[in-house]
Amino acid sequence: DIVLTQSPATLSVSPGEGATLTCRASQTVDRQLAWYRQRPGQAPRLLIYDASVRATGVPARFSGSGSGTEFTLTIGSLQSEDSAIYYCHQYNNWPTFGQGTKVEIK
Amino acid sequence: QLRLQESGPGLVKPSETLSLTCSVSGGSISGTNYYWDWVRQPPGKGPQFIGSVFHNGDNFYNPSLKGRVVISVDTSKNQFSLNLTSVTAADTAVYYCARHLRTCVNVICHKFFDPWGPGTHVTVSS
């Protein structure tokens, strides 16, 4: 299985600040990578697919980049509703997910 | 708007079979170019892919589940189902149904999951 390692494990930011989350794959996944946001008690919601394409209805302050084994999710001007766990997911091979980055709003 | 809803027992005894159903509304399972999926999330961990089914019954499963999984589809009810046999405490998780676009024919390939159902919590305990 392809292992996805997310960093940092936890990120604490003030409202209005930006955040950068990283996902590293144990082998290349080309650009077959998605990002999801999971609020407490809810299902994951798709934010980004194919490494950099925003899903329908996702605000422009969410952006994704990367290819191969290193990817980033950048969130500009964080808001209180962005407090959640963010997961990366590769689908270049049998699907696997990272362990998540918890984003806390101060 | 497409909606998925999981249903089934919240408690299953060890060694028994876990059975869940996903009901789809706002769209049809039949005649669409989507796979219908099951994904689970153990407590405090990231999601884990279980398997997928197409409307014609074609399916594929995560090899890590070692033959314990069967996913079937009932197009007349617009539902698909998960059966997981010989469960242990390690199968305790929130179980989600989801959908992904079919982009390959005659080979297995994968895509992102969207949308997801709200999930149902299943505990394996005697």
Side-chain angles (χ1 to χ4, degrees), chain B residues 78-96:
Chain B
N78 220 32
Q79 295 176 338
F80 60 104
S81 299
L82 167 69
N83 277 346
L84 181 65
T85 61
S86 305
V87 298
T88 70
D91 295 308
T92 292
V94 177
Y95 285 75
Y96 297 99

Side-chain angles (χ1 to χ4, degrees), chain B residues 16-112:
Chain B
E16 295 190 345
T17 297
L18 181 161
S19 296
L20 298 174
T21 296
C22 181
S23 299
V24 178
S25 60
S28 176
I29 286 179
S30 298
T32 61
N33 203 35
Y34 288 96
Y35 277 101
W36 303 90
D37 311 300
W38 286 99
V39 181
R40 69 181 182 180
Q41 187 170 25
K45 295 186 178 181
Q48 178 189 25
F49 171 70
I50 298 173
S52 307
V53 67
F54 199 57
H55 64 78
N56 66 357
D58 287 348
N59 50 38
F60 52 87
Y61 308 126
N62 190 328
S64 69
L65 289 165
K66 297 177 183 176
R68 296 194 295 132
V69 180
V70 174
I71 298 175
S72 58
V73 63
D74 187 339
T75 55
S76 67
K77 294 181 179 179
N78 220 32
Q79 295 176 338
F80 60 104
S81 299
L82 167 69
N83 277 346
L84 181 65
T85 61
S86 305
V87 298
T88 70
D91 295 308
T92 292
V94 177
Y95 285 75
Y96 297 99
C97 55
R99 181 188 77 168
H100 79 267
L101 184 66
R102 184 175 81 148
T103 56
C104 300
V105 179
N106 297 325
V107 294
I108 295 172
C109 60
H110 307 278
K111 270 296 184 184
F112 50 88

Side-chain angles (χ1 to χ4, degrees), chain A residues 24-97:
Chain A
R24 289 188 173 89
S26 59
Q27 61 190 75
T28 183
V29 298
D30 293 330
R31 294 180 60 81
Q32 306 293 296
L33 189 114
W35 290 92
Y36 302 83
R37 176 179 66 190
Q38 186 175 35
R39 292 172 174 151
Q42 295 186 14
R45 180 204 171 181
L46 179 70
L47 297 175
I48 301 285
Y49 63 91
D50 294 349
S52 61
V53 180
R54 266 191 307 277
T56 302
V58 174
R61 56 198 180 80
F62 290 90
S63 62
S65 64
S67 65
T69 62
E70 188 145 342
F71 300 85
T72 60
L73 173 69
T74 301
I75 311 172
S77 188
L78 276 148
Q79 303 176 11
S80 58
E81 68 248 32
D82 297 325
S83 181
I85 300 176
Y86 291 79
Y87 292 100
C88 57
H89 155 221
Q90 69 77 23
Y91 41 92
N92 191 58
N93 205 315
W94 287 101
T96 55
F97 292 80

